[in-house]
Amino acid sequence: MTDTRTIRVHVNGKAFRGEVETRLTLVDFLRHELQLTGTHVGCEHGVCGACTVLVDGASARACLMLAVQCDGAEVSTVESLASGAGLNALQQAFRDCHGLQCGFCTPGMLMTLTEFLRDNPDPGEAQVRDVLSGNLCRCTGYQGIVDAALAAAKRMREVRL
Amino acid sequence: MSLTGFGASAPRKEDPALLRGEGQFVDDIHFPAMLHAAFVRSPHAHASIGRIDKSAALALPGVHAVFAFADLPEPVRRQTLPLLVPHPSLRAPRMPYALAKDEVCYAGEPVACVVADSRYIAEDAADRVEVAYEPLPAVNDCRAALAPGTTTAHAEADSNVAARFPVQVGDADRAFAGAAHVFRERIYQHRGGPFFMECRGAVARYEKPTDAYTLFVSSQGSHRLKRCLLDMFDLGDHQVRVVTPDVGGGFGPKGSFYPEYVNLAFAARVLDRPVKWIEDRRENFLATHQERDQYWDMEIAVDRDGHILGLRGELIHETGAYVPWGIVLPWIAATTVPGPYVIPSFKLDVVSVYTNKIQTTPVRGAGRPEAVVTMERLMDRVARELELDPAEVRRRNFIRPEQMPYNVGIIFRDGRPVTYDSGDYPACQAAALEASGYDGFRQRQAQARSLGRHIGIGIANAVEATGLGPYESATVRISTSGKIVVYTGATPQGQSHKTTLGQIAAEQFGVGLDDVTVVTGDTAAISLGIGTFAARTAANAGPSVHLAGLEVALKAKTIAAGMMECLLEDLELADGYVRLKSAPDVRKSLREIAVRSVGMPGFSMAGELEPGLEHTAHFTPAQSAYSNGTHVAEVEVDIETGAVLILRYTVAHDCGRVINPMVVDGQVIGGVAHGIGNALFERLVYDDQAQLLTGTFADYLLPLATDVPRIDLVHLETPSPLNPLGIKGAGEGGTIPAIAAIVSAVENALAPFGVRIAEAPVTPQRIVELLGSHALGRTR
């Protein structure tokens, strides 16, 4: 028999309280229960990074976490990045620098970099490549993504000044 | 030039939705009452199948059905999946059934389909389906598979040969007899895969009122998949619609037709509910097509000065368990070998061989990377033996620009002679050498060696048949709301069709890119289409959009001339209006013109015009357009760990006229990354019973951001005379020479140790093996 448990979780600022199967992964919870389909499933073994979200502000593989482990947590997904119809500075930089082609790995890239740029406002290229080495992209050869991260960091520094 | 028209790096129309997480990939599609499928897959690479017991699976709450071969409907049981490209040399082409009938021929072959309320339950149930397998000996190696009397990959077959065919130009044996030097190389290319980030998947629906199926599928060619479904179920054109939403990468294998799609369509009809199947990564490793298993045994004959006199040898190509794409891979490989060089004589015996592994079908480059590795390894060998600079040997053998168009003398897979339409190969190599600092390299190398560092440089040239026919379709339509829409059969997977094809249309109407919508990969929107693979879309769909746009623009002006009572030549199109050149305020909007074009009930059409402001073009190229490129890789090898660091990577690339430079750069750079993977990491390892040992991204390594360097790009533009826009394809040119350039550079770095490399990938482990006692870790 399936085992269920009640969880309370905040996703992108909105409260959820409900019953979930204990074996339900966080990414399936987000995609199927909450219909937040921006977070993608790429490998289901924690290597590709397409499902990266922030849990209490720290990046996490949503395919390796269970929904019940997020009881009481604050989860942020790609849907939280822009308000209204626009793009945030990082998203805009991805567009300006051709940081995406098929766009499937993109939400994970954006969430990894959201955490990274928050903690490292003035990174060098090697640091950016290092943090991106946890996210696979088969389309871009990473160059556009690296450029986007550096451009976004610059832009965000200028805004802060 | 406008900021968004042809030639401009227009920002992509695709981006905002994808960046906001609002892309519509196939797994994002949800229908009420939708069910979920999982497949029971063979654990054996080769076995016969006895009884299938479904009772335990069906007893699980939430399970709706379990289908095995015997449950499939008659037309599906009668036939195997369609062979996409037949060829006379394929005497007994083997193709799979929608579910295994009485024999499984690779580990992962689908045996039964389970449909349940959720994927979780479907997987639980799939584990409970009991299949009585009788294991048979498996064929693992395509070379061993050729031995007389050996085990066969298909139990009833008398040999493992799928096809044998020769490729021949001139009299190679005579050329070899008179040559100053003959060198022989045995070259291996090991299996890799596409490994798009979004696995395969589909959602099937059946609608009773119209007796019709709709398949939403992550594919590279909606129209071809539709035709396959029509064949499998023996249906009329109106009964299948295939729609391809956003696709998370394709790289070739999403262009194939797979058994899972047939099962989903059948299940949706029988259960009268939409059914979704999303491949998981484990299935993706087992059941999505792969590529690159080739073994070449080649000889090159040269004169005293290193001019090529002839090539001859044998190519053994592993097709795996089945032959969905016939012999296209070994054929493309064989016909790509000559590349940019004058090769007076060429003789190759090609054999395509069955094994008990998932089939090989085109993966980015499609046989060309293997051919280029082969040719460029031979060029490096000549350089070494004759003590010439590798760049100089290539220079001496280039086809000169004044020899264009150049007939290579062999027939390509499109049935036409391989005739290079245009290109300046010496200039391309020269540009790459200059940008890479090639002249200063020997000094850099000497200096590095004096410090105990092992750096090396490698060059590779490639010519690539792009823009493969037969055609790609486009309809340009201006609806009565005045909106401009382009429909095409081209089915993108990240190549930016909605932007680049939109740019071509926007140019015709003098409007911005935002005023054009491009609809791709929907068989209900346009009746014909081929799909996006083989670097063919820009060079085929591009001209179709251009030609259809020209027709519609002319028609709009003709109608407007009637409405405005003026001469056609006095009119121009701009900003959504047809206006008088002399008095731009005198104008008619596209909306007014479109309304006029469809006529009013009961009134005759004005003039001689066909109704509607639309036109469909199917640009049909006379033959392939040939892109070319030179790659120069500079690497450093750590002789203790075998790790390769790419220090510098330069590409000079010519794909004719460029629609959107940003997009082309992205295609090339992404392609190089794929080549880096193939050169250094990506290897699908099987055991002697053809069981996959590298079935996760922890064992099978894709290149990371830390592995791919910044790529320096130089563009040359020799327009193709074969289409009205001068375009050649750019989708694969980044991958094709990359493997050869990197392997060459690694060998060059290790030259002091006498290391010779004739294989890819050359992984750290393999490098340490090749170094043998030279590896520092062992001599200390």
Side-chain angles (χ1 to χ4, degrees), chain B residues 26 141 160 260 311 344 352 371 405 430 452 464 541 569 684 715:
Chain B
V26 67
D141 186 302
N160 290 312
E260 290 90 352
L311 291 177
S352 178
E464 177 197 1
E569 48 271 30
L684 288 157
H715 282 287

Side-chain angles (χ1 to χ4, degrees), chain B residues 281-360:
Chain B
R281 190 55 74 176
R282 173 75 181 150
E283 290 182 289
N284 178 250
F285 270 96
L286 293 172
T288 287
H289 297 173
Q290 303 168 350
E291 204 217 298
R292 307 263 200 269
D293 259 347
Q294 289 190 346
Y295 298 84
W296 299 71
D297 186 352
M298 294 294 285
E299 287 181 297
I300 186 167
V302 292
D303 71 12
R304 227 173 294 281
D305 302 318
H307 296 110
I308 300 168
L309 303 172
L311 291 177
R312 69 181 176 194
E314 184 186 35
L315 162 59
I316 303 174
H317 171 85
E318 181 173 311
T319 188
Y322 302 104
V323 284
W325 282 82
I327 56 164
V328 303
L329 284 175
W331 193 345
I332 292 171
T335 51
T336 301
V337 167
Y341 310 118
V342 175
I343 313 241
S345 69
F346 178 38
K347 189 172 91 170
L348 189 68
D349 294 317
V350 184
V351 58
S352 178
V353 182
Y354 292 113
T355 60
N356 293 113
K357 296 183 205 159
I358 181 75
Q359 40 272 34
T360 54

Side-chain angles (χ1 to χ4, degrees), chain B residues 733-757:
Chain B
T735 305
I736 292 164
I739 305 161
I742 294 165
V743 167
S744 176
V746 171
E747 182 180 89
N748 180 248
L750 300 178
F753 308 104
V755 168
R756 305 283 174 248
I757 303 174

Side-chain angles (χ1 to χ4, degrees), chain B residues 107-432:
Chain B
E109 184 160 2
V111 175
C113 174
V114 179
V115 185
D117 283 333
S118 74
R119 173 72 188 222
Y120 285 68
I121 299 170
E123 285 187 23
D124 290 344
D127 283 346
R128 296 182 174 205
V129 175
E130 288 177 28
V131 182
Y133 295 101
E134 179 135 357
L136 297 166
V139 179
N140 172 50
D141 186 302
C142 61
R143 293 162 298 174
L146 284 172
T150 192
T151 305
T152 52
H154 295 268
E156 297 303 313
D158 37 359
S159 94
N160 290 312
V161 173
R164 258 184 209 284
F165 61 95
V167 175
Q168 196 155 350
V169 183
D171 186 343
D173 292 339
R174 175 185 284 193
F176 273 79
H181 307 278
V182 172
F183 307 114
R184 183 176 179 192
E185 290 279 340
R186 288 203 176 90
I187 295 152
Y188 311 144
Q189 279 268 282
H190 294 294
R191 237 176 220 256
F195 298 114
F196 26 72
M197 288 297 108
E198 179 210 31
C199 291
R200 289 182 297 137
V203 182
R205 287 207 299 183
Y206 174 75
E207 269 147 36
K208 246 187 208 157
T210 49
D211 186 21
Y213 300 83
T214 304
L215 189 76
F216 297 86
V217 55
S218 183
S219 93
Q220 293 178 231
S222 314
H223 287 78
R224 227 151 8 92
L225 259 58
K226 170 180 166 170
R227 290 209 310 278
C228 291
L229 283 172
L230 296 181
D231 287 354
M232 288 306 293
F233 289 99
D234 200 13
L235 298 171
D237 183 71
H238 61 295
Q239 289 178 285
V240 173
R241 176 187 179 194
V242 173
V243 185
T244 298
D246 285 328
V247 175
F251 313 112
K254 278 189 187 166
S256 292
F257 184 68
Y258 290 91
E260 290 90 352
Y261 308 150
V262 180
N263 286 281
L264 292 183
F266 169 64
R269 180 168 66 76
V270 170
L271 301 171
D272 199 17
R273 304 259 296 261
V275 181
K276 177 187 276 188
W277 165 71
I278 302 297
E279 184 182 59
D280 68 26
R281 190 55 74 176
R282 173 75 181 150
E283 290 182 289
N284 178 250
F285 270 96
L286 293 172
T288 287
H289 297 173
Q290 303 168 350
E291 204 217 298
R292 307 263 200 269
D293 259 347
Q294 289 190 346
Y295 298 84
W296 299 71
D297 186 352
M298 294 294 285
E299 287 181 297
I300 186 167
V302 292
D303 71 12
R304 227 173 294 281
D305 302 318
H307 296 110
I308 300 168
L309 303 172
L311 291 177
R312 69 181 176 194
E314 184 186 35
L315 162 59
I316 303 174
H317 171 85
E318 181 173 311
T319 188
Y322 302 104
V323 284
W325 282 82
I327 56 164
V328 303
L329 284 175
W331 193 345
I332 292 171
T335 51
T336 301
V337 167
Y341 310 118
V342 175
I343 313 241
S345 69
F346 178 38
K347 189 172 91 170
L348 189 68
D349 294 317
V350 184
V351 58
S352 178
V353 182
Y354 292 113
T355 60
N356 293 113
K357 296 183 205 159
I358 181 75
Q359 40 272 34
T360 54
T361 63
V363 172
R364 199 172 198 168
R368 298 177 187 87
E370 297 94 308
V372 173
V373 168
T374 300
M375 189 67 221
E376 298 296 314
R377 293 281 68 213
L378 291 167
M379 295 301 263
D380 281 351
R381 175 79 187 276
V382 170
R384 191 170 74 233
E385 301 278 357
L386 272 52
E387 296 180 354
L388 291 167
D389 186 286
E392 176 58 23
V393 174
R394 289 163 170 85
R395 247 191 308 265
R396 288 182 190 182
N397 285 288
F398 276 134
I399 297 161
R400 317 290 312 174
E402 58 273 19
Q403 291 174 279
M404 296 289 175
Y406 184 86
N407 186 338
V408 179
I410 41 188
I411 302 296
F412 189 54
R413 62 157 287 201
D414 61 5
R416 315 269 178 175
V418 176
T419 305
Y420 301 156
D421 50 323
S422 65
D424 188 338
Y425 308 148
C428 189
Q429 177 172 294

Side-chain angles (χ1 to χ4, degrees), chain B residues 480-496:
Chain B
T480 49
S481 63
K483 304 267 188 205
I484 302 167
V485 184
V486 175
Y487 301 92
T488 175
T491 310
Q493 322 108 48
Q495 296 95 337
S496 324

Side-chain angles (χ1 to χ4, degrees), chain A residues 32-99:
Chain A
H32 302 149
E33 303 287 321
L34 304 187
Q35 265 82 54
L36 290 169
T37 54
T39 305
H40 294 153
V41 182
C43 72
E44 294 162 284
H45 51 269
V47 180
C48 83
C51 66
T52 303
V53 296
L54 303 184
V55 177
D56 289 334
S59 59
R61 303 291 208 221
C63 75
L64 293 185
M65 255 185 117
L66 297 169
V68 292
Q69 290 177 281
C70 293
D71 189 16
E74 171 76 43
V75 177
S76 303
T77 72
V78 67
E79 284 90 346
S80 72
L81 295 185
S83 52
L87 300 174
N88 78 6
L90 180 61
Q91 291 167 314
Q92 186 60 44
F94 264 65
R95 191 174 192 210
D96 296 341
C97 301
H98 198 24

